Amino acid sequence: MIELTQHKIIGLTGMSGAGKSTVCKAFADNGFHIIDCDIVSREVVKAGMPALKELAAELSPKLISDDGTLNRRLTGEMIFNDSEKRAVFNRIIYPYITYNVVHKIKAANRDILLDAPTLFDARLDGICTEIISVCANTDICVERIMQRDGITEEHARARLGSQRDVGWFQKHSTHCIINNGEKDSLFAQAQTVIKTLKGK
């Protein structure tokens, strides 16, 4: 682990549709400072930001919308089924995200929950004290994603298929929460993990 602060840095990741937002809320309720990497990823591609200029230069100028920000729909269509373009996108964007995250960590004055769906891809696991993954049965995740995002089953399964599976998360995490039940049960599991972390 890279030392950035005297406070704990807990990484939160896992499968899409598994219930990370509920776990995140439990940590917020217990006084943790939340750093949302989805928000960070949007901050680094605001109009005029250097990451956006690099993406336009190396992938396509069409990725810049009329308002000067990243065209997220077009970007998703471009990189989803093209591993080479996705690798280029990630190579450009992740260092900017990491720099922004590190700045936010240094400014925090209490223990931190780093909410990062792409924690391992961005190599942010190296700055975490411990890592929590939230996983669930694939069929359950598919149903949740369809309801949450209003997409077809085919697209939901394709999204999950591009991610790591439960076994991988279990192997690479300090704590792996399995959420195949109700939200109350998940919240209770999160509270148990929080008590364990606070006891260290």
Side-chain angles (χ1 to χ4, degrees):
M1 185 190 71
I2 301 171
E3 288 291 342
L4 295 175
T5 174
Q6 62 181 341
H7 303 290
K8 291 186 178 74
I9 305 173
I10 310 302
L12 176 65
T13 190
M15 299 167 64
S16 181
K20 292 186 294 296
S21 59
T22 298
V23 176
C24 186
K25 184 180 186 306
F27 273 82
D29 289 349
N30 278 272
F32 281 75
H33 178 81
I34 308 299
I35 298 177
D36 186 333
C37 286
D38 279 343
I39 293 175
V40 174
S41 70
R42 286 172 170 76
E43 291 174 347
V44 301
V45 290
K46 287 182 178 178
M49 297 298 282
L52 186 58
K53 295 177 181 178
E54 283 192 47
L55 290 171
E58 293 206 34
L59 289 173
S60 171
K62 294 180 180 178
L63 294 182
I64 302 180
S65 300
D66 292 339
D67 63 359
T69 61
L70 181 69
N71 185 323
R72 303 187 74 85
R73 180 191 60 78
L74 184 60
T75 302
E77 291 175 355
M78 178 180 290
I79 69 175
F80 185 76
N81 291 314
D82 190 322
S83 59
E84 290 186 5
K85 289 182 179 178
R86 186 163 60 249
V88 172
F89 179 86
N90 291 341
R91 172 177 57 78
I92 293 170
I93 201 75
Y94 284 148
Y96 288 102
I97 292 174
T98 300
Y99 179 86
N100 191 307
V101 165
V102 168
H103 178 76
K104 292 178 184 296
I105 287 172
K106 290 181 176 179
N109 60 2
R110 59 188 188 275
D111 289 343
I112 299 152
L113 181 77
L114 184 58
D115 183 0
T118 58
L119 182 79
F120 295 102
D121 303 278
R123 298 184 180 178
L124 289 168
D125 54 306
I127 65 175
C128 295
T129 312
E130 302 201 33
I131 296 171
I132 301 168
S133 291
V134 187
C135 298
N137 177 276
T138 299
D139 289 340
I140 292 175
C141 286
V142 167
E143 184 176 341
R144 290 171 180 162
I145 294 169
M146 291 169 61
Q147 292 178 352
R148 183 190 67 196
D149 299 342
I151 62 176
T152 65
E153 179 178 348
E154 180 184 3
H155 283 103
R157 289 192 182 278
R159 183 180 300 179
L160 281 172
S162 68
Q163 300 175 2
R164 297 178 171 94
D165 61 17
V166 177
W168 195 95
F169 282 115
Q170 288 176 323
K171 184 177 179 180
H172 292 85
S173 304
T174 320
H175 308 273
C176 186
I177 297 174
I178 303 298
N179 175 32
N180 290 329
E182 299 298 323
K183 185 176 289 186
D184 288 347
S185 173
L186 174 59
F187 199 81
Q189 290 185 71
Q191 293 288 358
T192 299
V193 172
I194 292 168
K195 288 179 181 179
T196 301
L197 293 173
K198 286 190 170 183
K200 292 186 176 181

